[in-house]
Amino acid sequence: MSNIIIIYSTTDGHTREICSRLQKITKENNNEVTLIPIEQTSELDLNKFSKIVIGASIRYGKHSKKIYEFINKNEKILDTKPNAFFSVNVVARKPDKNQPETNPYLKKFLSQISWKPKELAVFAGKIDYQKYRILDRFMIRMIMWITKGPTDPKTSIEFTDWNQVNNFGQLISKM
Ligand SMILES: Cc1cc2nc3c(=O)[nH]c(=O)nc-3n(C[C@H](O)[C@H](O)[C@H](O)COP(=O)(O)O)c2cc1C
């Protein structure tokens, strides 16, 4: 049995939902699993855990600054344990951009840090226009219009392939 920690960064909660699914799958494989938002990691002792997973969503082209800071601060300990990173973004809804090797945000992120996660994943996120502030809604609808996605302001759509998430949960259980 492993003691897994999943650290996540979310704005609208979708990455948290993905983490909950990962928690469910890894628990079913008899692991102990802790979920913790990046904002609550200042006192966290990573030594207590046998595997470390980090997940973060993209907002206006970037993962949260806090994720970079956490990784830079903990790179040494990350390297001593089985570890994984995953990114959540809506560009990953496109079949040619839904793999770690083809997703522009994940590729850029990896080029900006020196940590080399042992396992990687990218998951398509969710669009829920009614939840967004006016400017965000306008901007995302513009991006969707440009990239041929849904623009109806009432749209709430989950692009996430939950089978892909389940498979990653199995991978984490085994790593
Ligand atoms: C204000 C805003 C900006 C976003 N910017 C991007 C972006 O630049 N590229 C992208 O692929 N997805 C972008 N997204 C989509 C999010 O990555 C997607 O909604 C994801 O599910 C959010 O996860 P979270 O709820 O865990 O933050 C954006 C979403 C919002 C609301």
Side-chain angles (χ1 to χ4, degrees):
M1 191 184 89
S2 296
N3 187 2
I4 304 174
I5 182 150
I6 307 180
I7 299 149
Y8 63 89
S9 161
T10 184
T11 307
D12 296 317
H14 195 64
T15 306
R16 173 79 169 73
E17 266 192 51
I18 290 174
C19 290
S20 296
R21 175 65 66 90
L22 294 174
Q23 184 179 39
K24 179 176 176 282
I25 301 286
T26 44
K27 270 192 170 172
E28 283 167 6
N29 284 295
N30 295 321
N31 297 289
E32 216 171 278
V33 193
T34 306
L35 300 191
I36 183 165
I38 190 72
E39 292 80 10
Q40 291 173 23
T41 53
S42 59
E43 309 275 298
L44 181 70
D45 181 5
L46 287 178
N47 288 302
K48 288 193 200 151
F49 302 92
S50 51
K51 298 178 183 180
I52 305 168
V53 179
I54 302 176
S57 62
I58 286 284
R59 212 170 162 87
Y60 293 126
K62 293 183 181 139
H63 295 102
S64 156
K65 243 194 197 166
K66 293 192 180 90
I67 287 288
Y68 287 88
E69 286 163 7
F70 182 85
I71 289 171
N72 290 335
K73 185 173 148 211
N74 294 289
E75 188 179 341
K76 272 199 184 132
I77 185 153
L78 284 167
D79 281 336
T80 64
K81 297 170 193 279
N83 65 65
F85 178 83
F86 68 89
S87 175
V88 179
N89 54 79
V90 288
V91 159
R93 77 188 187 282
K94 304 217 160 200
D96 60 338
K97 297 199 169 108
N98 69 0
Q99 298 299 314
E101 309 78 39
T102 57
N103 186 261
Y105 299 120
L106 187 51
K107 284 184 359 182
K108 185 168 175 203
F109 179 72
L110 293 173
S111 77
Q112 292 169 327
I113 55 170
S114 50
W115 175 44
K116 304 257 179 288
K118 290 176 184 151
E119 303 293 347
L120 288 168
V122 52
F123 302 123
K126 181 176 175 178
I127 293 287
D128 190 351
Y129 288 127
Q130 292 301 309
K131 257 194 171 180
Y132 307 155
R133 289 177 304 182
I134 288 175
L135 184 62
D136 287 337
R137 190 181 310 150
F138 175 77
M139 294 299 286
I140 303 305
R141 286 180 72 208
M142 275 251 296
I143 295 168
M144 282 294 136
W145 183 72
I146 294 165
T147 62
K148 300 182 170 57
T151 53
D152 182 337
K154 291 197 185 103
T155 302
S156 172
I157 183 168
E158 219 177 58
F159 295 106
T160 315
D161 177 346
W162 290 101
N163 276 334
Q164 201 193 349
V165 178
N166 293 346
N167 291 341
F168 190 59
Q170 298 294 350
L171 181 76
I172 291 169
S173 304
K174 289 184 200 129
M175 74 181 183

